[in-house]
Amino acid sequence: MKMTKLPDEILALLPNELSEVFSRCENRVISQITEIRLRANKPVMVTLSGGDLFLLKDGTFSTVPRGAYLTGPDEVERLFSTLSSHSLYAHEEELKEGYLTLPHGHRVGFAGRFVAEEGRIRSFAGCASINIRLAKQIKGCADGVMPYLTRDGRVLSTLIISPPMLGKTTLLRDMARQISDGIFGAGGKRVCIVDERCEIAACEKGVPQLDVGLRTDVLDGCPKSIGIMMALRTLSPQVLITDELGGKPDADAVLEAIHCGVKVIATVHGNHMEDVNKRGSIAKLMEEGAFSRYIVLSGRPGRIHGIYDEQFKPLKRGGQG
């Protein structure tokens, strides 16, 4: 279902005047918003699949900044304080990574003054801009890929390759739901989601707020390499799902799961298979034959550039997912 207004939890966080402006916005644009950007002393901008627009004071949108709503530096600071629950210590580790994850899976990125020491981020000292990335559950968005992800009633290990902001987490979420509930036609499977960034299931106190399926367990906020091993030892999953594979520890854990007979569905940032195959940890997984299917997203959110088999031969190209 498309948004007809911004989610209540987002409107409640925004400065009052800005929240009122957004409440007057036209539904046609609101339904397409994926990000809201606030920069001190600059116009508020929103990101849609077709590009960026400026938010005007009257609640309309424009490609030019004349008449735009300007974000005051005090508004940025107040919002930052609200988002971090007035306790920088409680969110210190996330802030060192430059983001916070909100209830319902929304992610907020920050820019400003970081303090580094010996090549590592030690603290976040001052916020100058905020980017709110809206999480959306689109049930059925995985319908177009599910027929390619099974063989003889079994789920196939799959890697989703995508640049940022093209819907890979949204796709992953619906795949989890369909596999868990057996919608794809091979019977429901026990699914475990290792949700390190708290985005896939949008848990509150460990309980998923988004529909990820009846047979799904979630390890919320747990590092992937640790969570995968925990799941193998204690939850007996048939399918493991996780987002944004990183370095060698993640790759080693994925291989361990696959060697234990568990199917793995994961995502990784990249523009195409050749791109990720140059990265050591992911290249190792590909060389070891860890994945039987590759899904590549490109162009605009939800667009499937191609689906490939374990030998990197195309099964589907172009069109919608």
Side-chain angles (χ1 to χ4, degrees):
M1 180 180 297
K2 289 187 175 182
M3 295 187 299
T4 57
K5 65 173 185 175
L6 288 183
D8 290 339
E9 63 270 15
I10 298 297
L11 287 173
L13 288 172
L14 295 174
N16 289 338
E17 185 177 351
L18 179 57
S19 179
E20 291 175 5
V21 173
F22 267 115
S23 69
R24 299 195 299 268
C25 289
E26 49 193 310
N27 295 343
R28 179 184 60 83
V29 177
I30 288 290
S31 67
Q32 301 178 58
I33 292 176
T34 57
E35 292 183 339
I36 301 169
R37 296 178 180 270
L38 289 78
R39 300 179 176 96
N41 300 315
K42 293 184 179 180
V44 173
M45 296 180 67
V46 297
T47 299
L48 289 66
S49 60
D52 297 325
L53 292 175
F54 295 100
L55 172 67
L56 305 188
K57 295 176 183 177
D58 62 1
T60 60
F61 296 90
S62 175
T63 56
V64 295
R66 184 180 302 163
Y69 183 101
L70 294 179
T71 307
D74 58 324
E75 290 183 307
V76 173
E77 287 294 336
R78 289 203 309 270
L79 179 55
F80 176 72
S81 180
T82 300
L83 290 168
S84 58
S85 302
H86 305 280
S87 174
L88 295 182
Y89 178 78
H91 300 286
E92 184 177 8
E93 293 307 312
E94 275 191 311
L95 284 172
K96 287 179 182 178
E97 300 292 330
Y99 75 94
L100 288 174
T101 303
L102 305 179
H104 304 281
H106 310 297
R107 188 193 289 188
V108 184
F110 302 100
R113 172 65 176 169
F114 286 84
V115 178
E117 183 179 322
E118 297 180 354
R120 299 185 63 184
I121 299 296
R122 294 300 181 187
S123 63
F124 186 59
C127 185
S129 63
I130 294 174
N131 179 38
I132 303 172
R133 182 183 297 184
L134 302 179
K136 298 180 181 180
Q137 177 150 33
I138 305 176
K139 292 186 176 181
C141 69
D143 289 355
V145 303
M146 294 309 300
Y148 297 90
L149 306 187
T150 61
R151 181 187 292 149
D152 301 325
R154 296 179 292 112
V155 177
L156 299 174
S157 290
T158 301
L159 183 66
I160 301 171
I161 300 167
S162 170
M165 293 302 300
L166 290 189
K168 64 183 184 304
T169 303
T170 304
L171 178 63
L172 193 67
R173 183 183 300 124
D174 197 53
M175 292 167 68
R177 179 185 68 89
Q178 296 206 34
I179 291 169
S180 178
D181 290 351
I183 294 173
F184 68 99
K189 307 295 183 186
R190 294 187 305 275
V191 173
C192 181
I193 297 175
V194 182
D195 200 359
E196 181 172 357
R197 298 180 183 269
C198 312
E199 290 185 299
I200 304 172
C203 291
E204 291 188 25
K205 297 182 179 179
V207 179
Q209 302 302 298
L210 299 176
D211 185 358
V212 289
L214 298 171
R215 299 173 179 84
T216 299
D217 299 301
V218 181
L219 297 179
D220 188 53
C222 186
K224 288 180 282 293
S225 58
I226 297 172
I228 289 172
M229 302 310 297
M230 288 173 58
L232 294 176
R233 288 194 297 267
T234 64
L235 296 173
S236 63
Q238 294 168 294
V239 180
L240 270 165
I241 290 179
T242 194
D243 207 1
E244 298 184 15
L245 292 180
K248 186 176 184 298
D250 291 354
D252 289 345
V254 167
L255 279 178
E256 182 65 22
I258 289 172
H259 291 158
C260 289
V262 177
K263 304 304 180 182
V264 176
I265 300 177
T267 72
V268 66
H269 281 138
N271 293 306
H272 42 68
M273 287 197 296
E274 293 79 5
D275 184 20
V276 300
N277 201 22
K278 296 176 183 177
R279 296 164 53 183
S281 57
I282 305 302
K284 179 182 177 183
L285 291 174
M286 297 172 78
E287 290 168 5
E288 295 265 353
F291 300 106
S292 297
R293 292 290 184 268
Y294 297 89
I295 300 173
V296 181
L297 306 183
S298 70
R300 53 187 170 79
R303 183 180 183 274
I304 305 297
H305 175 75
I307 302 176
Y308 304 84
D309 67 11
E310 57 266 41
Q311 298 177 335
F312 315 125
K313 294 181 179 178
L315 302 173
K316 172 184 172 68
R317 284 183 170 169
Q320 290 280 346

